[in-house]
Amino acid sequence: QVQLVESGGGLVQAGGSLRLSCAASGGTFSAYSMGWFRRAPGTEREFVALITRSGGSTTYTDSVKGRFTISRDNAKNTVSLQMNSLKPEDTAVYYCAATLSYSTTVESQFAYWGQGTQVTVSS
């Protein structure tokens, strides 16, 4: 059983930056590819970014490419999401998730989820 705890959310003005972190415990962190998802008010949860087990490959949804960077530290059991040039449409609850699949963006393939952290971008 893997436990995930996100931190780093908050309120920021458009154009600003935030760094989200996710701390994992209770499992072999390096066995999991890690993803970030988000859910904006009134919408379905959507994929944001993925990093594979060793950190050798990353995937991003088109709307965040060039602005967001996912990274991981397997020695510290953490995964991070650096978010730059934030836009009001990035406002959402952001979730960290773990999957045994090597590379997937499909929500149902992520077995473990954090509780989420709120990111609000004001215009």
Side-chain angles (χ1 to χ4, degrees):
Q1 189 79 7
V2 177
Q3 292 82 45
L4 302 172
V5 179
E6 302 97 336
S7 61
L11 173 64
V12 64
Q13 288 188 329
S17 299
L18 280 175
R19 185 176 181 86
L20 305 184
S21 293
C22 174
S25 61
T28 303
F29 183 68
S30 59
Y32 295 89
S33 292
M34 299 298 297
W36 286 94
F37 288 75
R38 66 186 180 186
R39 177 183 284 146
T43 69
E44 298 291 319
R45 188 157 55 185
E46 66 170 352
F47 168 79
V48 176
L50 174 93
I51 188 165
T52 52
R53 298 165 195 150
S54 65
S57 179
T58 57
T59 304
Y60 298 92
T61 192
D62 285 346
S63 62
V64 309
K65 285 180 181 176
R67 300 188 298 123
F68 290 12
T69 302
I70 189 171
S71 60
R72 67 188 294 162
D73 186 335
N74 284 351
K76 296 182 178 179
N77 290 359
T78 58
V79 59
S80 298
L81 186 68
Q82 178 66 42
M83 305 186 296
N84 298 328
S85 302
L86 282 162
K87 304 176 181 180
E89 52 263 43
D90 294 318
T91 295
V93 177
Y94 283 72
Y95 299 88
C96 170
T99 179
L100 287 173
S101 296
Y102 177 72
S103 181
T104 180
T105 63
V106 178
E107 182 177 341
S108 62
Q109 295 187 6
F110 287 78
Y112 302 104
W113 293 83
Q115 81 290 349
T117 186
Q118 177 71 47
V119 171
T120 303
V121 184
S122 63
S123 57

